[in-house]
């Protein structure tokens, strides 16, 4: 299979979101598509990230250079290990 990703389309969709839902920040679920390019494109467009694992949080932090404690990341998995909660 071949996937073609048009990152300009992701930016266009974010602009549409901003028009329809002003002042509401979307959080992209990384489990859907967590490549460096997608994360950077969405970050530059103003999106936050819905992370289900510590690894996804680490990806966001390392790819775009933000702090894990910033409001750009939501740790949303309903079942978390004690280690993950402490971290």
């Amino acid at each position: 299979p071949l996937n073609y990703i048009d990152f300009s389309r992701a930016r266009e969709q974010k602009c549409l979101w901003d028009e329809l839902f002003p002042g509401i920040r979307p959080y992209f679920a990384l489990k859907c598509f967590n490549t460096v390019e997608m994360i950077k494109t969405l970050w530059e467009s103003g999106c936050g990230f819905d992370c289900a694992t510590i690894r996804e949080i680490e990806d966001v932090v390392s790819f775009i250079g933000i702090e894990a404690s910033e409001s750009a990341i939501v740790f949303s998995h309903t079942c978390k290990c004690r280690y993950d909660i402490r971290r």
Side-chain angles (χ1 to χ4, degrees):
L2 173 69
N3 289 323
Y4 173 77
I5 306 300
D6 183 354
F7 293 104
S8 65
R9 185 79 173 124
R11 286 187 287 276
E12 289 171 7
Q13 289 297 305
K14 175 56 171 68
C15 287
L16 177 60
W17 175 278
D18 291 341
E19 284 179 33
L20 298 174
F21 306 104
I24 299 174
R25 183 183 204 174
Y27 286 79
F28 179 75
L30 284 187
K31 63 184 154 281
C32 298
F33 190 74
N34 67 338
T35 66
V36 175
E37 296 85 4
M38 181 59 85
I39 291 171
K40 286 183 178 180
T41 298
L42 293 173
W43 175 249
E44 291 166 359
S45 297
C47 288
F49 301 96
D50 171 11
C51 299
T53 66
I54 291 296
R55 176 64 189 176
E56 288 179 353
I57 293 172
E58 291 169 348
D59 285 348
V60 170
V61 169
S62 68
F63 293 164
I64 59 177
I66 64 170
E67 296 294 321
S69 61
E70 290 191 34
S71 63
I73 299 173
V74 175
F75 188 26
S76 63
H77 198 287
T78 54
C79 298
K80 297 176 180 77
C81 301
R82 288 182 182 173
Y83 169 80
D84 293 345
I85 293 170
R86 280 191 297 272
R87 185 138 186 250

